[in-house]
Amino acid sequence: MTEQQGDLYDACIQEMLAYRDGHAKRGLAAAVDEIARVKKASVTTAEAIEARGFARGEARGRAEILIMQMTVLFGPLSEAVLARIRSADIDQLRAWTPRVFTATSIEEMLA
């Protein structure tokens, strides 16, 4: 059970006990609303995590393709060049990719 789930469980139990004891005006309806809110937040968080994972996967794939293309053009690449390409963000990789068709050197490629 995650910390967020544990907190939700505790909040639900407290709301139900308060409802039972007549001390809460919000009662069980508030607990149900809180469950719905946390569920929605969980879905939003899961979607954000999935999107970040997809973006990382896209960047890794683009980097490896660029490495293969550059290796065909320029021969084996140094560890420094490989590290630079693999650590580049997606925007930088998108900028470098078309240069495969025009660059005459690694320096020009990664300028």
Side-chain angles (χ1 to χ4, degrees), residues 76-86:
L77 305 175
S78 70
E79 288 300 319
V81 169
L82 293 172
R84 184 171 175 197
I85 295 168
R86 288 183 176 132

Side-chain angles (χ1 to χ4, degrees), residues 4 7 11 19 21 30 34 36 50 63 70 84 107-108 110:
Q4 185 179 23
D7 291 345
Y19 180 78
D21 294 338
E34 181 66 8
E50 182 180 0
M70 289 177 66
R84 184 171 175 197
E107 294 76 22
E108 185 181 346
L110 302 179

Side-chain angles (χ1 to χ4, degrees), residues 2-69:
T2 67
E3 184 177 334
Q4 185 179 23
Q5 289 169 328
D7 291 345
L8 174 61
Y9 178 79
D10 292 343
C12 289
I13 295 297
Q14 288 185 12
E15 285 291 333
M16 286 187 271
L17 290 173
Y19 180 78
R20 184 196 70 189
D21 294 338
H23 296 292
K25 292 180 182 176
R26 297 178 344 169
L28 190 56
V32 171
D33 290 345
E34 181 66 8
I35 290 169
R37 184 192 68 75
V38 171
K39 182 177 180 183
K40 184 177 179 182
S42 297
V43 169
T44 302
T45 301
E47 290 169 347
I49 291 168
E50 182 180 0
R52 281 195 305 265
F54 180 79
R56 275 188 233 144
E58 181 184 5
R60 284 185 189 141
R62 282 181 177 267
E64 292 308 313
I65 290 170
L66 189 60
I67 288 168
M68 285 189 289
Q69 292 170 330

Side-chain angles (χ1 to χ4, degrees), residues 84-110:
R84 184 171 175 197
I85 295 168
R86 288 183 176 132
S87 66
D89 64 29
I90 192 70
D91 292 331
Q92 184 62 66
L93 292 165
R94 285 182 180 142
W96 287 337
T97 300
R99 295 180 190 169
V100 168
F101 300 107
T102 60
T104 58
S105 68
I106 292 172
E107 294 76 22
E108 185 181 346
M109 185 75 205
L110 302 179

